[in-house]
Amino acid sequence: QVQLVESGGGLVQPGGSLRLSCSASGNISSINDMGWYRQAAGKTRELVAIIIDGGSINYGDSVKGRFTISRDNAKNTVYLQMNSLKPDDTAVYYCHAESRAFVGELLRRTLYWGQGTQVTVSS
């Protein structure tokens, strides 16, 4: 129903910056929340940033003050501006979306994931 495609990953030096993009297609009108998660090698997937339906934004503690999430509704695209990058930021970054809809009185939640883009921070 919804397809997510990430771009912008790559290799960057510590202290550098990188900008990720995620484009949504399909039934984009059904999307409520949209954001980013990441998963480093050998670790669990963690929240990076997400924009909640209504406009509020949540950031993971490890990226507060360094990363900025934004959403362009007209282009169906969400961005992640990453500044002051650290080696610990090295991970696969996944675009994420959530849809919520009522089927009768039953609320259905659907999660969508992109295939991921590799970010490597190294000197």
Side-chain angles (χ1 to χ4, degrees), residues 36-39 44-48 62 88:
W36 296 89
Y37 286 71
R38 70 185 183 186
Q39 187 167 15
T44 59
R45 189 171 299 186
E46 65 175 349
L47 172 69
V48 176
S62 63
D88 285 347

Side-chain angles (χ1 to χ4, degrees), residues 74-89:
K75 297 181 179 180
N76 303 316
T77 301
V78 65
Y79 304 94
L80 184 69
Q81 178 66 47
M82 304 184 293
N83 298 326
S84 302
L85 284 162
K86 306 174 181 179
D88 285 347
D89 295 319

Side-chain angles (χ1 to χ4, degrees), residues 1-115:
Q1 295 181 2
V2 173
Q3 296 80 46
L4 305 173
V5 179
E6 306 98 331
S7 64
L11 175 65
V12 65
Q13 294 182 342
S17 298
L18 208 60
R19 184 178 177 87
L20 305 183
S21 299
C22 174
S23 297
S25 61
N27 189 18
I28 54 93
S29 63
S30 69
I31 296 175
N32 297 106
D33 310 333
M34 200 167 179
W36 296 89
Y37 286 71
R38 70 185 183 186
Q39 187 167 15
K43 297 183 179 180
T44 59
R45 189 171 299 186
E46 65 175 349
L47 172 69
V48 176
I50 191 166
I51 300 178
I52 307 299
D53 189 20
S56 64
I57 297 174
N58 294 332
Y59 289 100
D61 290 339
S62 63
V63 307
K64 289 180 179 177
R66 299 187 298 118
F67 291 9
T68 303
I69 188 172
S70 60
R71 183 175 180 178
D72 187 336
N73 291 327
K75 297 181 179 180
N76 303 316
T77 301
V78 65
Y79 304 94
L80 184 69
Q81 178 66 47
M82 304 184 293
N83 298 326
S84 302
L85 284 162
K86 306 174 181 179
D88 285 347
D89 295 319
T90 297
V92 177
Y93 285 70
Y94 295 92
C95 185
H96 165 78
E98 179 178 344
S99 297
R100 295 182 291 276
F102 282 98
V103 181
E105 295 183 347
L106 181 64
L107 179 63
R108 172 177 288 179
R109 289 184 169 89
T110 305
L111 306 181
Y112 303 96
W113 297 94
Q115 67 179 14

